[in-house]
């Protein structure tokens, strides 16, 4: 799983601090995992894309965090439950929520968004 961000590397700026098209405060972990998924992605203005280009069986998806948006790309090989869970997991990662109560077997890589490359 990757997090691609247009925030300066090492910056501790969370999505909850964004201005346009974002809620005034970050959601809680309970809210992310207990709210109906359709309602959650509408409420947080998250775009979810199933990408046919994600063919690596060990890569379930990525989240692209920009200053005013969150885009999630998921593998087409995920089942309905997995797609639901990983969408929520990536939203929580994007908001830098503490997921201590959840198992953390997933490698997370944070990469800067390369200037001039549209996401």
């Amino acid at each position: 799983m990757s997090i691609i961000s247009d925030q300066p590397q090492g910056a501790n700026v969370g999505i909850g601090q964004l201005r346009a098209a974002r809620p005034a405060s970050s959601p809680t972990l309970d809210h992310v995992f207990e709210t109906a998924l359709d309602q959650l992605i509408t409420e947080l203005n998250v775009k979810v894309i199933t990408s046919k280009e994600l063919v690596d069986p060990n890569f379930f998806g990525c989240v692209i965090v920009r200053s005013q948006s969150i885009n999630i790309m998921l593998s087409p090989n995920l089942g309905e439950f997995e797609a639901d869970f990983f969408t929520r997991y990536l939203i929580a990662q994007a908001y830098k929520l503490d997921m201590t109560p959840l198992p953390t077997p997933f490698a997370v890589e944070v990469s800067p968004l390369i200037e001039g490359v549209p996401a």
Side-chain angles (χ1 to χ4, degrees), residues 24-97:
S25 63
S26 294
T28 64
L29 191 60
D30 286 341
H31 185 72
V32 169
F33 281 92
E34 293 176 5
T35 302
L37 187 58
D38 289 343
Q39 177 184 342
L40 183 68
I41 61 177
T42 298
E43 179 182 303
L44 300 178
N45 194 28
V46 174
K47 184 175 182 181
V48 180
I49 302 161
T50 300
S51 176
K52 294 178 183 171
E53 296 173 9
L54 297 177
V55 295
D56 183 344
N58 297 316
F59 188 80
F60 63 84
C62 66
V63 60
I64 301 166
V65 179
R66 302 197 116 198
S67 61
Q68 297 181 2
S69 65
I70 298 174
N71 295 302
I72 294 175
M73 295 176 62
L74 296 174
S75 168
N77 301 322
L78 299 176
E80 185 178 339
F81 174 81
E82 295 161 319
D84 181 284
F85 173 79
F86 287 129
T87 298
R88 294 171 191 279
Y89 179 81
L90 291 170
I91 289 171
Q93 285 287 333
Y95 277 96
K96 299 180 181 179
L97 299 178

